[in-house]
Amino acid sequence: MIDRSPSSLVKAVSRQLQDVMDPELTFLSVTDMGILRDVKFENGHIVCVITPTYSGCPATEVISEDVLKAAREIDPDAEVEVVLSPAWTTDWISLEAREKMTANGIAPPEGSSHDKAFLTGDGHTIPCPICKSKETKLISPFGSTPCKASFTCNACLEPFEHFKCF
Amino acid sequence: MHALLRLGDDALVLAQRLGEWCGHAPALEEDIALTNIALDLIGQTQSYLTLAGSLDPDAPKTDDELAFLRSESEFKNLLLVEQSNGHFGDTIARQFLFDQYALLRAEHLAQQTFDLDAAAIAAKAVKEIRYHAAHSSKWIIRLGDGTSESHSRIQKSIDDLWAFTGEMFAADDVDIAGSIAGLLPDLSALKTQWDVEIDRVLVEATLIRPKDGAMKTGGRTGVHTEELGTMLAEMQILPRTHPGASW
């Protein structure tokens, strides 16, 4: 018999959602990314609160569906709520997730999003995630997804992506 | 509702224009940049139009209905953002003039407490627009302070679009009521800030700020240039031909 008390449901769903991955960074979970903001019990069912990274990021819709599907395996009445405030920031990405990014060839966000210079990469060094050289160059402040910028490493000559500080 | 439609329509129409660059930009990086900016703007559009469409409980409309099933005269965007792409410099000049305005407007919206839903949308938008503004400003400087060819062409782009800048600050009843309520910024104060930022970039770009002449207006009341109709025809054809179509 499954324990249906609100607190155990919240715990079970939270555990379940640790396996829901970001569809564009498949080695990171939505929890790692700070996209999953809360799991709560309201009006007799589970509500999973998520927040989009960028306003137009198409991954948000997929994430919302994946979270709903995973949560409903525990509570068939679970719902997903999308909130915009407070606005998502890369400051919420866990340290562990940043290490996973580097291991997967993506330079993680550097510093705090409150420092506006970081936003545009002005005067800041983004080390190469592959050879660790600091001799890197911004190719474009935009990249393959809204959250990334394109760099190249002058030492190992590999192109790489940098997760924008946002 | 009118104030939110204006915000949504500015973003939507500019996004559609930028999307036209997909596969056509002068370099791959810039193709990606312009379409990434378009994607952010579409996200902002979805948020603003969803909110606008929910305000009349007797006749609720979805963001898609507002985007795809309104006619030209029902769009309330600035004339500036509907102007056709021209060459890359024209597109960057349009972006630069709009970004600086959109950033100041979103900063105000994010701070106000009259409409907290709009504030939440704007708080996200501010971060995105700040990034866009940095990009378009850098291009203005690079082209202005570049070769004699790039200098003269970007100067002409700014000169050509200047007549559309007055509309951003021409306050009408919606702006005045919105400003009194606290939702919208005071446009004369916004203009002062915009001037400072525009002048700073133009000076660095070694470009000359055009003189204010007769300004073209009408977009806010649905009186558009001929550019919008053809753009909407392309943007809306699918949902109008196949109502309710889904992926």
Side-chain angles (χ1 to χ4, degrees), chain A residues 5-66:
Chain A
S5 74
S7 64
S8 59
L9 273 179
V10 166
K11 254 186 224 160
V13 171
S14 302
R15 208 176 314 121
Q16 178 88 349
L17 294 183
Q18 283 174 4
D19 295 330
V20 175
M21 297 308 197
D22 182 311
E24 291 185 2
L25 297 157
T26 51
F27 50 88
L28 293 177
S29 74
V30 294
T31 312
D32 285 335
M33 288 287 291
I35 292 170
L36 180 68
R37 300 311 302 154
D38 196 13
V39 176
K40 57 189 179 184
F41 191 84
E42 252 180 28
N43 304 321
H45 60 82
I46 286 287
V47 177
C48 308
V49 182
I50 63 170
T51 191
T53 52
Y54 285 72
S55 298
C57 184
T60 307
E61 204 169 310
V62 180
I63 290 169
S64 175
E65 285 168 15
D66 291 351

Side-chain angles (χ1 to χ4, degrees), chain B residues 178-245:
Chain B
S179 172
I180 290 169
L183 174 67
L184 298 176
D186 168 25
L187 289 178
S188 57
L190 203 76
K191 169 88 160 66
T192 310
Q193 293 173 275
W194 183 82
D195 282 340
V196 169
E197 205 47 35
I198 293 290
D199 289 347
R200 183 187 67 77
V201 176
L202 289 181
V203 165
E204 195 176 342
T206 71
L207 294 167
I208 295 162
R209 180 192 169 106
K211 292 222 163 31
D212 286 348
M215 292 292 180
K216 295 177 186 175
T217 59
R220 292 302 193 209
T221 52
V223 181
H224 291 277
T225 60
E226 62 187 278
E227 306 281 350
L228 185 65
T230 46
M231 192 204 91
L232 289 181
E234 185 174 309
M235 186 179 95
Q236 297 182 333
I237 188 169
L238 192 95
R240 284 189 185 271
T241 314
H242 304 281

Side-chain angles (χ1 to χ4, degrees), chain A residues 139-140 142-143 150, chain B residues 21 23-36:
Chain A
I139 298 297
S140 169
F142 296 88
S150 311
Chain B
W21 275 106
H24 298 277
L28 179 61
E29 288 78 8
E30 217 42 48
D31 205 289
I32 291 167
L34 295 174
T35 46
N36 260 292

Side-chain angles (χ1 to χ4, degrees), chain A residues 83-151:
Chain A
V83 297
L84 296 181
S85 180
W88 180 83
T89 161
T90 45
D91 298 346
W92 294 345
I93 298 178
S94 65
L95 188 62
E96 192 194 355
R98 288 166 198 251
E99 284 164 4
K100 284 186 203 165
M101 279 187 195
T102 307
N104 283 274
I106 296 172
E110 293 275 327
S112 161
S113 65
H114 298 292
D115 176 359
K116 286 176 194 166
F118 270 117
L119 189 71
T120 50
D122 283 339
H124 291 281
T125 309
I126 307 297
C128 172
I130 302 155
C131 77
K132 318 295 174 210
S133 167
K134 289 182 177 171
E135 299 297 315
T136 62
K137 190 172 127 194
L138 175 74
I139 298 297
S140 169
F142 296 88
S144 61
T145 65
C147 53
K148 297 196 225 88
S150 311
F151 277 73

